[in-house]
Amino acid sequence: MKKILYITSLLLVISVLPTACARLDLEPYNEVDESKTFNSKRDAELWVNGMYNALRDANQGKQMYASDVQADYLNAAQGMEKAPNMHRWSLFNTSEETTATIWKERFLIIQDINIALKGFPKIPEQNEIKGLTGALYLGRAYCYTYLVTHFCKPYKAATAATDLGLPILTDTTLKNFPPRSSVKDTYAFILSDIAQAETLLASETGEEGADTFTIDAVKALKARVLLYQNDWAQAYQVAEQLIATGHYPLASSATAFGKIWTEDSNTENITQLYAAISAGVSEVSNNTNDLYLSEQESFFIPGQIEASPNVLPTQDFVDLFEADDWRKDVFLKSVDIGFFSLYAVNKYPRNEKLELANSVFFYYGHKAKLFRIAETYLIAAEAAFKNNDETNAKRYLNLLRAARGLAAVTTTGNDLFTDIQNERSRELCFEDFRLYDLSRWGLPVKRGTPQDLSSIRSTPAEDYNELNIQVGSAYYHKIVWPIPADDIDYERGKWKQNPGW
């Protein structure tokens, strides 16, 4: 595996600051002396390493779990502290700090990428930094894909040219932002960056657990974006090509599958970013998905571990898993909540390998999994179905099911599509896919039955366990996040707010 040294670039150190105020206009803009910054291949490596550091942070914590907290598979536990207003749709508004911070942090990564793209042509060793330049383009496409799937409507061919997209930032500063483009233009921009990456990363062969971007990472993102753009034929073709490389065999046992999550094994991972504790030096993210378990050692009974999850999976979600499904014992864990034993989410368990010695706090961060081959199988299945190819839809769906201990499905028509949707919901649960899937499929957000009503917040019920946001209803527009109110005000009419907010 190609190992890299993760050293955060100067500008990333400056720009990733405490985010109590998330307005873009309040960010300290720092002039970079490019004559002293971009002189050698080593300078390029430092900037790209800084990007990977930022992406590692961005793929854990709020940017990973906020949409799932808002969606339908989680109930708020009594002690919920993480993004409570997003869970309660009636309280979610344009001043929500969680979404404002996410908006800013993604554009800060984009800004730093743009600075590097402007400066890299000054470096003499152009042939030697092709791959690094390609990584920047893919990183920018990756960030824009996140933003367009959270802050814009799903792609619809009939309205994409007029639906509000993102400001296309290619400049090196967050000042003087361009106006919002259309959804169509945003997707075109993402795909143009992917095309650049495809050329520049062509010689970067993929392998399991690669901790930098490779040509296979390009294909993984391209398949995802084409699926979201409803380009079924192209999405299927790219997904099929990636699977056919044979670089990423599916797990062959329940034990091997479990280690993907408990030990950050390389299995099935197309891109899994570096993280380690070495000689007391911490190369890990401060952002974690600790809300799912929040365990600690009992104060009264030494050695006993007690869980205090912020959220609990609904009974409807638990019931998605058959008894033989390997994922059930990996993604779910029985914990004691009051007088009841209930399932908690265990997809991001305590990671002792990345815990500092003698730490009194459990660490729930992991090597960030940007692309997994399982998603590619699901893309192939969905795209084939939408392209009226049920044979290959079942083929890729059943290959994945077999690698999870399950029997093949034989359904057809709408029942087959439901099976594809449910498989995606199981496999990609709590990886920041569910809310956008509901949006692009045109489905309501109906929160499932709780495992135990007394263990969750339930007043008012319509905000918690009985949440039922039907398509076209008063709150359904909130499935698309708002542009931060402060930034709308600052741009003085240049930016339009998303409809309904």
Side-chain angles (χ1 to χ4, degrees):
M1 185 191 307
K2 182 180 178 183
K3 291 292 182 185
I4 63 172
L5 180 63
Y6 279 76
I7 301 175
T8 307
S9 67
L10 172 62
L11 198 64
L12 279 166
V13 171
I14 292 170
S15 61
V16 183
L17 292 172
T19 53
C21 184
R23 282 173 54 183
L24 290 175
D25 63 295
L26 296 182
E27 197 60 33
Y29 300 100
N30 297 277
E31 297 299 325
V32 175
D33 186 345
E34 295 174 13
S35 66
K36 298 179 181 178
T37 304
F38 298 106
N39 293 316
S40 67
K41 177 184 176 183
R42 180 58 174 165
D43 293 335
E45 289 173 340
L46 293 176
W47 275 84
V48 174
N49 291 347
M51 177 190 73
Y52 286 127
N53 269 345
L55 292 177
R56 182 177 62 197
D57 285 343
N59 282 272
Q60 299 178 85
K62 288 182 180 180
Q63 295 196 46
M64 173 68 81
Y65 65 66
S67 66
D68 286 309
V69 167
Q70 186 186 355
D72 56 345
Y73 281 154
L74 295 171
N75 290 130
Q78 292 290 1
M80 185 184 195
E81 298 175 351
K82 311 279 187 179
N85 290 349
M86 294 186 68
H87 191 74
R88 295 183 62 180
W89 286 51
S90 67
L91 300 183
F92 183 18
N93 59 44
T94 59
S95 297
E96 172 60 40
E97 184 180 345
T98 299
T99 50
T101 298
I102 290 171
W103 172 266
K104 186 189 78 168
E105 288 179 350
R106 287 284 171 163
F107 271 114
L108 286 172
I109 299 173
I110 291 168
Q111 172 191 249
D112 292 339
I113 289 172
N114 289 346
I115 291 170
L117 286 173
K118 181 181 179 183
F120 274 24
K122 300 176 173 65
I123 296 172
E125 306 103 312
Q126 285 297 299
N127 285 334
E128 296 180 38
I129 65 167
K130 282 176 61 178
L132 297 170
T133 306
L136 292 173
Y137 279 109
L138 193 65
R140 188 167 69 179
Y142 184 81
C143 287
Y144 263 101
T145 301
Y146 180 97
L147 290 166
V148 79
T149 54
H150 290 73
F151 292 92
C152 301
K153 289 182 177 180
Y155 192 101
K156 293 182 180 179
T159 59
T162 54
D163 286 337
L164 289 169
L166 298 168
I168 303 301
L169 182 70
T170 57
D171 201 355
T172 57
T173 176
L174 296 182
K175 286 183 176 179
N176 302 317
F177 249 91
R180 295 182 69 176
S181 67
S182 67
V183 166
K184 181 178 181 179
D185 288 344
T186 300
Y187 272 84
F189 179 71
I190 292 169
L191 287 169
S192 69
D193 270 2
I194 290 173
Q196 290 274 19
E198 202 164 14
T199 299
L200 294 165
L201 288 167
S203 62
E204 300 292 331
T205 305
E207 60 179 345
E208 274 193 322
D211 56 14
T212 60
F213 287 146
T214 65
I215 188 61
D216 289 347
V218 178
K219 294 174 184 175
L221 182 58
K222 186 176 183 180
R224 182 188 295 176
V225 172
L226 290 168
L227 180 80
Y228 291 166
Q229 199 183 26
N230 305 329
D231 190 341
W232 316 122
Q234 289 282 345
Y236 176 80
Q237 182 182 49
V238 175
E240 187 177 45
Q241 288 173 352
L242 179 52
I243 293 167
T245 64
H247 294 160
Y248 312 97
L250 292 167
S252 59
S253 68
T255 300
F257 176 74
K259 288 181 178 179
I260 297 172
W261 303 97
T262 58
E263 299 181 11
D264 290 331
S265 75
N266 293 334
T267 304
E268 299 190 4
N269 280 298
I270 300 166
T271 307
Q272 179 169 253
L273 298 181
Y274 179 80
I277 297 287
S278 179
V281 177
S282 175
E283 285 286 351
V284 301
S285 175
N286 290 325
N287 298 332
T288 73
N289 297 327
D290 60 340
L291 82 162
Y292 293 117
L293 284 172
S294 299
E295 295 166 312
Q296 59 185 359
E297 187 171 349
S298 171
F299 180 80
F300 299 103
I301 308 174
Q304 178 173 304
I305 305 303
E306 298 176 341
S308 301
N310 274 246
V311 290
L312 291 166
T314 66
Q315 187 63 51
D316 296 52
F317 174 75
V318 173
D319 291 344
L320 281 175
F321 294 90
E322 299 173 38
D324 293 336
D325 194 325
W326 298 346
R327 292 168 295 198
K328 185 170 186 178
D329 289 338
V330 176
F331 294 169
L332 297 171
K333 177 181 180 179
S334 181
V335 299
D336 291 333
I337 305 293
F339 297 105
F340 299 94
S341 290
L342 304 174
Y343 282 114
V345 175
N346 194 43
K347 199 168 193 177
Y348 308 100
R350 178 188 181 186
N351 193 339
E352 295 185 65
K353 288 185 177 180
L354 298 182
E355 251 176 39
L356 287 170
N358 302 317
S359 173
V360 296
F361 299 106
F362 291 2
Y363 182 73
Y364 291 94
H366 287 264
K367 294 182 178 179
K369 297 164 177 55
L370 271 58
F371 302 111
R372 298 196 296 118
I373 196 65
E375 181 198 354
T376 312
Y377 277 81
L378 291 164
I379 290 171
E382 183 175 347
F385 177 85
K386 289 292 188 178
N387 208 34
N388 300 313
D389 181 2
E390 291 195 4
T391 298
N392 280 313
K394 276 187 276 196
R395 175 189 171 203
Y396 285 109
L397 176 63
N398 285 330
L399 283 170
L400 180 60
R401 285 177 60 86
R404 301 298 183 255
L406 297 175
V409 301
T410 58
T411 49
T412 60
N414 291 336
D415 290 339
L416 174 57
F417 188 55
T418 298
D419 283 334
I420 292 169
Q421 290 174 312
N422 286 340
E423 201 63 43
R424 186 174 172 93
S425 297
R426 283 186 285 267
E427 180 66 34
L428 302 180
C429 64
F430 312 120
E431 294 184 56
D432 185 45
F433 288 101
R434 176 64 177 170
L435 189 69
Y436 188 67
D437 282 348
L438 291 172
S439 182
R440 68 187 181 88
W441 289 333
L443 296 177
V445 184
K446 187 175 181 180
R447 200 158 284 148
T449 303
Q451 298 178 66
D452 172 62
L453 187 61
S454 67
S455 299
I456 66 165
R457 293 185 180 181
S458 57
T459 304
E462 61 272 16
D463 263 0
Y464 287 110
N465 54 300
E466 294 181 11
L467 182 84
N468 187 355
I469 310 296
Q470 292 294 313
V471 177
S473 66
Y475 288 146
Y476 195 78
H477 66 276
K478 296 188 179 185
I479 204 168
V480 177
W481 290 353
I483 307 303
D486 283 343
D487 288 327
I488 290 285
D489 293 342
Y490 178 74
E491 293 298 334
R492 298 181 181 179
K494 186 188 295 185
W495 287 356
K496 294 180 181 179
Q497 182 58 275
N498 285 327
W501 288 99

